[in-house]
Amino acid sequence: MSAPNAKRVLRRNEIYVKLSKYCDGQGYRYEPVIGGRHHYIEVFIGEGRPVRMIFSASASDHRAANNALTVLKRLIRERQASNDNNKV
């Protein structure tokens, strides 16, 4: 599904809301994609491959959004440390 429709559909998903607010606050460009049971967000942190964060369409517990944000931060930090974001 395209990004504008995905943003409209995902606006009720607590995990997506938390991830998108973080990306907006940090100035990262991102694009949400709707899959079957799981959705994902691609975060563009520089040139090269984007960081892809997969999350559930329906969270299992109240900690899911915070856990997803922690994982996204770790993925971005690891990508920047490995300098992999500069490779095409």
Side-chain angles (χ1 to χ4, degrees), residues 9 14-15 30-31 34 37 40 54 60-61 70 72 85:
V9 170
E14 182 182 348
I15 299 172
Y30 64 94
E31 182 175 324
I34 295 181
R37 292 183 203 150
Y40 62 92
I54 300 170
S60 59
D61 66 10
T70 301
L72 178 64
N85 59 324

Side-chain angles (χ1 to χ4, degrees), residues 13 18 25-26 30 35-36 42 46 50 52 55 59 71 74 81-84:
N13 187 308
K18 189 154 242 174
Q26 295 297 316
Y30 64 94
E42 288 185 329
R52 181 177 286 180
F55 58 93
V71 171
R74 185 179 314 126
S82 71
N83 204 17
D84 191 32

Side-chain angles (χ1 to χ4, degrees), residues 39-87:
H39 309 311
Y40 62 92
I41 184 171
E42 288 185 329
V43 181
F44 303 93
I45 58 171
E47 296 179 16
R49 296 179 314 160
V51 174
R52 181 177 286 180
M53 175 65 197
I54 300 170
F55 58 93
S56 177
S58 59
S60 59
D61 66 10
H62 65 280
R63 298 174 303 229
N66 289 334
N67 292 343
L69 181 59
T70 301
V71 171
L72 178 64
K73 288 178 181 179
R74 185 179 314 126
L75 289 171
I76 291 172
R77 190 172 49 245
E78 288 172 356
R79 179 66 60 84
Q80 289 174 335
S82 71
N83 204 17
D84 191 32
N85 59 324
N86 293 326
K87 299 176 184 172

